Amino acid sequence: MRASVRRSIQALLDGADMVTMLAGAVSGAVAGYTYYPATLDADLRLAATGAVALGGTFLFTTVADALLAPLRRRFAQADVAEMRAVAQTRAAEARGVAVPGGLSEALDQVTAAAEDDAARRAAQAAYRIDLSDQLLSNPGRWRGYTNGEATYYLAPGTVLHYSREESERGIAEPRYTLLTADDPTLVPVTNVRDILDDLAPRARKTAVAEALDTVAPSTV
């Protein structure tokens, strides 16, 4: 229900409360004045009329509250939901996340969130292979993707890949593998030492190749 319509109906309900109280007071006063024995004292008659008027007000408002309670409860829930939505919108804006103006913008936001989520999950679970908490636990170094996977650039032609696979017990567990440009074979990584064992020989080969390139021209 639109907020403007809800506010209009709420105003009518508030007005109905006043009408109910007035109707109860008038009805009670009329009844008290009409049926009070005319032979009794006039002052007592006025007091009794006032008492009956108060009783009529209480009776009318009690009945009206019982009848309108479901409707009031519905509007109260709608107000709470609206306030919660406003609070969430303001919180999102405070964090720099703009409220999407359409489905396309919403899709862009969710896509970015999915990629960031994958990167952070890869960094968060990296303690399984790197307890140093110095290298692989930095989410800023991970590149997340919408399919839940992520990659970590280690060196030219070498990246660490993160994914999740179900274990024999049907539980999704993190899986890290090493990918290199010159070898399509996936190398499982269970310890940061595995990365070192792979990078060290590559570094030595690169150093030797660079040294040969430097020496070769001088011997020509």
Side-chain angles (χ1 to χ4, degrees):
M1 184 179 295
R2 305 176 86 180
S4 58
V5 176
R6 190 170 64 252
R7 285 193 292 269
S8 298
I9 297 178
Q10 185 64 53
L12 292 176
L13 290 175
D14 294 338
D17 290 339
M18 296 299 297
V19 172
T20 299
M21 294 176 61
L22 182 60
V26 171
S27 298
V30 171
Y33 189 83
T34 301
Y35 296 104
Y36 189 84
T39 57
L40 298 181
D41 185 81
D43 293 335
L44 291 177
R45 183 177 189 181
L46 291 176
T49 300
V52 175
L54 290 175
T57 301
F58 176 77
L59 177 62
F60 273 54
T61 54
T62 300
V63 173
D65 287 341
L67 294 176
L68 297 177
L71 186 59
R72 293 183 189 278
R73 186 163 49 251
R74 178 181 177 186
F75 279 102
Q77 292 172 347
D79 289 339
V80 171
E82 181 180 3
M83 288 188 292
R84 183 182 297 112
V86 171
Q88 291 175 345
T89 298
R90 291 177 178 175
E93 292 175 345
R95 294 194 304 268
V97 181
V99 177
L103 183 59
S104 178
E105 292 184 16
L107 181 60
D108 290 340
Q109 288 185 356
V110 175
T111 299
E115 293 175 350
D116 185 62
D117 176 77
R120 292 181 180 277
R121 288 181 184 275
Q124 187 178 38
Y127 74 91
R128 294 171 177 263
I129 61 173
D130 180 17
L131 291 177
S132 69
D133 195 28
Q134 296 180 3
L135 184 67
L136 304 179
S137 59
N138 181 3
R141 292 283 303 274
W142 286 93
R143 171 70 169 90
Y145 303 94
T146 55
N147 63 354
E149 300 179 1
T151 54
Y152 186 104
Y153 176 82
L154 290 168
T158 306
V159 297
L160 182 65
H161 180 260
Y162 162 85
S163 62
R164 292 173 65 86
E165 293 187 359
E166 286 191 2
S167 65
E168 296 178 355
R169 295 175 296 176
I171 301 175
E173 295 183 348
R175 181 171 182 264
Y176 294 89
T177 53
L178 206 58
L179 302 177
T180 58
D182 56 352
D183 189 350
T185 304
L186 300 181
V187 180
V189 176
T190 59
N191 190 294
V192 71
R193 178 77 188 189
D194 296 334
I195 301 176
L196 180 62
D197 291 342
D198 185 86
L199 288 182
R202 294 174 185 277
R204 286 194 294 268
K205 290 181 181 179
T206 301
V208 171
E210 291 177 351
L212 291 175
D213 290 341
T214 303
V215 174
S218 63
T219 59
V220 176

